[in-house]
Amino acid sequence: MGEAIEEKRMKDFLWFGGVFTVAGIATHYIWGISKDHVTAPFILISLGLASLTFYAVWYLYDNLQFTRGSSRFLQPQGKNALLLYLIHALFVLIAQALLPVNAPLVFVLLVALGLIAAIWGVAVYLDRKQVYVTLEGLR
C-alpha cells in the first residue's frame, strides 16, 4: 500500500479495501470478530475500512479539490494527533464506565458522536491557543 501512494496508484486502496473488508466479513463466521483477541477478521475489516476511508479522503481532498487546496477542516486534529490519541483513550474509558453493558445501539452511537465532538473541540481549542504537543515536547 505504501508503494501505491508513492506510485500514485490510489485505486489500489479502493480495490484492496473492498477485498480486505469482504474477506474479513466472510471469515468472521469461522473465527469471529474480536478486538480483544485480535482475530484475523477484525484485522481484515479494520484494514479494509481504513483503506476505503483513506481513498475517500484522498478522492475528496486531492482529486476533487473539495477544499480548494486548504484543509482547515482536518488541520487541528493533525497538529496534536498524539495528544488527541491519548485523550481519546481516556474519553473511551470514561464512556465505558458510564455506559450500561446492555445499552441500546442508538445510545452507544450517540455517545460515540459525542466523543468525536469532544475530541474535535479539544483539537480546535488547542489549535486556537497554539498549543502543540509533540514527541520533542511542548511548542
Side-chain angles (χ1 to χ4, degrees), residues 40-95:
F42 173 79
I43 293 170
L44 290 170
I45 291 171
S46 298
L47 180 60
L49 292 178
S51 296
L52 293 172
T53 302
F54 178 81
Y55 180 82
V57 170
W58 168 82
Y59 190 79
L60 284 172
Y61 282 85
D62 289 343
N63 198 30
L64 293 180
Q65 295 293 318
F66 179 71
T67 60
R68 295 180 189 89
S70 174
S71 60
R72 296 182 198 275
F73 185 66
L74 296 174
Q75 283 179 354
Q77 290 74 20
K79 292 178 181 176
N80 272 315
L82 177 61
L83 179 63
L84 294 175
Y85 176 75
L86 296 173
I87 291 172
H88 156 263
L90 177 65
F91 282 5
V92 167
L93 286 174
I94 292 169

Side-chain angles (χ1 to χ4, degrees), residues 15-26:
W15 300 116
F16 285 120
V19 167
F20 288 142
T21 302
V22 169
I25 292 170

